[in-house]
Amino acid sequence: MRSTPSRRATATGALIAAAAMLTIGVQAGTASADPFAAAPSALSAGKPNPGKLPADLSPNERAALIKAADADKAATAKSLGLGAQEKLVVRDVVQDRDGTTHTRYERTYGGLPVLGGDLIVAETKAGAPAGVIKSNRATLAGVDLAATVAPAAAEKQAVGLAAAEGSKKAAADRAPRKVVWMAQGAPVLAYETVVGGLQHDGTPNELHVVTDAKSGAKLYEWQAIETGVGNTQYSGQVTLGTAPSYSLTDTTRGNHKTYDLNGGSSGTGTLFTNTTDTWGNGTTSNRATAGADAHYGAALTWDYYKNVHGRTGIKGDGVGAYSRVHYGNAYVNAFWSDSCFCMTYGDGTNNAKPLTSIDVAAHEMTHGVTSNTAGLVYSGESGGLNEATSDIFAAAVEFYANNASDPGDYLVGEKIDIRGNGTPLRYMDKPSKDGSSKDAWYSGIGSIDVHYSSGPANHFFYLLSEGSGAKTVNGVNYDSPTSDGLPVTGIGIDKARLIWFKALTTKFGSSTNYAGARTGAVAAATELYGAGSPEVKAVEDSFAAINVGPRSGGGTPPTGTSFENTADVAIPDAGAAVTSTVNVTGITGNAPSNLSVGVDIVHTWIGDLVVDLIAPDGSVYNLHNRTGSSADNIQQTYTVNASSEVANGAWKLRVQDKAGSDTGYINSFKLTFP
């Protein structure tokens, strides 16, 4: 067994799932970053570093930052070492209270937009570089911009895919555009086609299909429609922001307006107006009741983002979106659309339960926030994180609202009775209770519907907020398990929401997956609460509890009966998986719920690696999934709940390098049975 070398210095949706959904997932675009700056060591215990909280920027201040970044984008591109054909396009700027700015850029190549080439550049108040995060760290160079496939072929493919999903009136909204596709591995020339019409359930269609411009093969697809005094149906009697002439126009919140579609499926409909400033009667017999609920939910969400996170409006520019209620006939869904910059709500089964509760409104508006910050693609693992982010901030808005008729909880859609039996749409403490969502990450989770692959992230947020085990919050009973059988201690929703928002706005990119989400959330917690803080450890433990990365570690080495393989096993660069095997004998019965797995891997840039424990019967336990970014080497002891496995037999450590340029080997693999 070789000794481990010293470390080198490293440089710089709709609310509800449809019956048939897109299932392709981006798995190759793990977010990567330079080391993040640590928070001061002198932080008061449990208090966030005030300098790392988001600055409360006015729309004019944000516009000035964007203008300055745009003026400097050529110099920024040069400092990043971008090629002559690469250009930066400023998409968003957020700022910490200490003056650190986080500028989010898209890229172009040879004048073409680069999908999946987004990056975030952090800079201190003094103008010093503070880190770069790229959605894909592949080199953008040498792309042949001459297509051999005609645009008409790409359009035919996209329309055919929409028709196969059951879409009605499917047709390309515009001619396919040439792009460079970079969300998966090396960049290639492609066409992007957007198909309109209606999905099979009546939801508007904005299906994006990416076609290889050389071979005609489909590279990727995703759906851009992200589906979820007033007398309201769900929140009791509330105060609404209205215009003096009695219309549902909130003049104090970006002129947000609420319209009645009156059963239609296009256009804005009719603005709600009245002869008095009283709206609805608390039941569906009055059309303005649903309008009052939607208007109130939008106001709460606006106030939450402004007062808690310093973000004035969905884009941060002070402009309000608008709401549309009474979409279609008995439409059992709600959705956000970037193209109209609006939220839309159906009236539910038999038009009896409009989908206009507080958490649904916050869920849909948060899709807009995500679109204008991280831009998480609505498919694969990034799509699950996108959907979970809307559920996470829906819960945060409910707790913030503190409405006695709809108190804060970790249930999604509990008021709208979507199933007709009084149960919620989703559960954050144990997502699998809905019958479809997943409690923990596994290697194929990117291939399922985003409403179900969101489960692990929802579960993570619940655990981070409240911890594992049985608990009652606001009269609701929860009992949250962990994938490794070990407990998690929560830090409270107030801290959890700050960490997730900072990660979303300053660490996540368009193709961030679960591994990248862990890296980003740990970095955000470190900036807010300090390295090694209880909050950082809680983030690490909560991710470990959904099978993403290890526990926070520490303590004494495990004791018991050990089996070890110290033979070196080379790990091919961007190659096939390799294994190291230990043969366990003499252990009676099954393996324990706290099996200790010692891993020693020598490898530069561990963000390239996927590491699994394989039980004798072939069951897979993921230990490491491309976390750690540019860090070197994995020397870590993991705890695995293997109580369903027979102890004796051949156990394997499987390691695969998923990207190029970095190499290494398995140094040793050890199992300890306590």
Side-chain angles (χ1 to χ4, degrees):
M1 180 175 68
R2 284 179 270 180
S3 60
T4 302
S6 60
R7 300 179 67 83
R8 63 175 170 84
T10 54
T12 73
L15 182 74
I16 305 161
M21 299 292 291
L22 311 177
T23 58
I24 305 299
V26 174
Q27 304 300 326
T30 301
S32 58
D34 289 344
F36 296 99
S41 58
L43 288 177
S44 300
K47 300 291 185 181
N49 176 4
K52 292 303 179 183
L53 291 171
D56 188 0
L57 296 175
S58 70
N60 287 339
E61 289 169 332
R62 176 180 175 272
L65 287 174
I66 289 176
K67 184 177 180 180
D70 189 64
D72 290 343
K73 63 187 179 184
T76 301
K78 184 177 180 180
S79 71
L80 295 174
L82 301 187
Q85 294 201 73
E86 295 180 72
K87 306 294 182 186
L88 293 176
V89 180
V90 181
R91 197 177 90 192
D92 191 28
V93 178
V94 297
Q95 191 174 70
D96 299 340
R97 293 181 187 176
D98 66 4
T100 301
T101 58
H102 307 267
T103 306
R104 191 179 295 272
Y105 297 93
E106 303 285 357
R107 277 188 278 181
T108 64
Y109 181 85
L112 300 179
V114 180
L115 305 185
D118 50 302
L119 51 88
I120 307 167
V121 177
E123 189 176 73
T124 68
K125 184 178 182 179
V132 179
I133 302 173
K134 296 181 179 180
S135 284
N136 188 336
R137 64 187 184 92
T139 301
L140 181 54
V143 181
D144 183 355
L145 300 184
T148 56
V149 171
E155 181 175 334
K156 181 178 180 181
Q157 179 188 71
V159 173
L161 288 167
E165 190 270 340
S167 296
K168 307 162 189 174
K169 302 179 182 178
D173 277 352
R174 55 183 178 270
R177 66 168 182 166
K178 272 188 179 181
V179 298
V180 174
W181 174 248
M182 195 180 173
Q184 295 171 300
V188 297
L189 182 68
Y191 291 109
E192 180 194 24
T193 307
V194 182
V195 181
L198 298 173
Q199 297 177 50
H200 68 277
D201 64 348
T203 305
N205 206 21
E206 286 185 27
L207 177 65
H208 292 243
V209 178
V210 180
T211 304
D212 192 308
K214 298 290 188 181
S215 68
K218 187 194 76 174
L219 297 174
Y220 200 66
E221 61 179 288
W222 74 92
Q223 179 60 251
I225 295 292
E226 294 169 351
T227 64
V229 177
N231 295 304
T232 69
Q233 186 167 350
Y234 302 118
S235 302
Q237 191 172 82
V238 299
T239 300
L240 300 179
T242 60
S245 57
Y246 305 134
S247 72
L248 284 185
T249 302
D250 196 333
T251 57
T252 65
R253 298 177 177 89
N255 284 318
H256 171 270
K257 299 177 187 292
T258 301
Y259 296 88
D260 183 357
L261 275 173
N262 198 31
S265 59
S266 63
T268 56
T270 305
L271 180 66
F272 278 100
T273 59
N274 204 358
T275 56
T276 69
D277 212 3
T278 299
W279 306 88
N281 63 3
T283 73
T284 55
S285 66
N286 189 313
R287 300 189 67 78
T289 298
D293 270 302
H295 205 69
Y296 176 62
L300 290 174
T301 307
W302 176 285
D303 290 351
Y304 168 78
Y305 277 110
K306 187 176 190 306
N307 296 335
V308 176
H309 301 300
R311 190 171 185 88
T312 306
I314 284 173
K315 290 185 177 180
D317 60 0
V319 177
Y322 66 90
S323 298
R324 307 184 300 178
V325 299
H326 303 306
Y327 174 92
N329 179 35
Y331 177 67
V332 190
N333 220 328
F335 58 88
W336 164 266
S337 173
D338 283 329
S339 62
C340 69
F341 198 62
C342 69
M343 295 78 67
T344 304
Y345 306 91
D347 286 330
T349 302
N350 299 321
N351 297 311
K353 286 280 188 176
L355 279 79
T356 50
S357 60
I358 292 172
D359 56 353
V360 175
H363 176 106
E364 301 309 337
M365 290 181 74
T366 297
H367 276 310
V369 173
T370 299
S371 177
N372 286 280
T373 55
L376 292 161
V377 174
Y378 204 58
S379 186
E381 290 194 24
S382 61
L385 291 168
N386 185 320
E387 189 64 21
T389 295
S390 282
D391 285 349
I392 285 167
F393 288 116
V397 170
E398 266 195 354
F399 278 96
Y400 171 84
N402 196 28
N403 183 294
S405 297
D406 189 4
D409 54 51
Y410 297 95
L411 309 173
V412 180
E414 72 282 356
K415 286 284 189 178
I416 58 177
D417 194 21
I418 205 77
R419 305 182 191 282
N421 59 5
T423 61
L425 176 62
R426 289 191 284 275
Y427 305 79
M428 298 181 79
D429 64 319
K430 189 177 181 182
S432 60
K433 286 172 67 177
D434 68 16
S436 300
S437 295
K438 307 303 179 185
D439 292 334
W441 180 90
Y442 62 94
S443 60
I445 200 167
S447 66
I448 67 173
D449 182 88
V450 297
H451 297 84
Y452 308 142
S453 63
S454 65
N458 280 343
H459 193 190
F460 156 82
F461 187 79
Y462 175 85
L463 289 167
L464 183 62
S465 299
E466 303 293 346
S468 58
K471 189 169 190 177
T472 302
V473 180
N474 285 347
V476 179
N477 296 323
Y478 304 98
D479 193 357
S480 192
T482 60
S483 66
D484 58 6
L486 301 176
V488 170
T489 300
I491 59 174
I493 193 172
D494 289 351
K495 292 180 180 179
R497 68 190 184 185
L498 291 179
I499 292 169
W500 195 256
F501 184 80
K502 189 170 186 66
L504 177 74
T505 55
T506 69
K507 313 302 178 193
F508 293 174
S510 61
S511 56
T512 294
N513 59 10
Y514 270 96
R518 176 184 167 118
T519 300
V522 169
T526 300
E527 291 181 9
L528 287 169
Y529 297 100
S533 63
E535 290 79 11
V536 170
K537 292 179 179 178
V539 170
E540 293 172 335
D541 289 346
S542 296
F543 267 110
I546 63 162
N547 197 31
V548 180
R551 287 276 173 162
S552 55
T556 58
T559 58
T561 303
S562 296
F563 303 83
E564 186 173 14
N565 187 341
T566 60
D568 296 340
V569 180
I571 303 170
D573 188 31
V578 296
T579 60
S580 175
T581 303
V582 296
N583 291 300
V584 175
T585 59
I587 304 295
T588 302
N590 282 10
S593 60
N594 58 341
L595 177 64
S596 174
V597 184
V599 175
D600 185 351
I601 296 173
V602 178
H603 195 284
T604 54
W605 203 292
I606 62 173
D608 290 353
L609 300 180
V610 175
V611 182
D612 298 311
L613 175 68
I614 312 296
D617 68 353
S619 298
V620 178
Y621 298 84
N622 181 256
L623 306 177
H624 174 94
N625 181 33
R626 304 193 68 178
T627 58
S629 191
S630 60
D632 293 341
N633 309 327
I634 301 175
Q635 286 94 32
Q636 177 73 44
T637 299
Y638 301 86
T639 301
V640 172
N641 182 356
S643 58
S644 63
E645 309 293 341
V646 174
N648 292 334
W651 293 77
K652 297 179 180 180
L653 185 74
R654 183 175 66 190
V655 182
Q656 185 171 15
D657 185 333
K658 292 278 195 174
S661 303
D662 294 274
T663 59
Y665 58 93
I666 301 173
N667 204 31
S668 68
F669 163 42
K670 182 179 182 179
L671 293 180
T672 301
F673 293 76

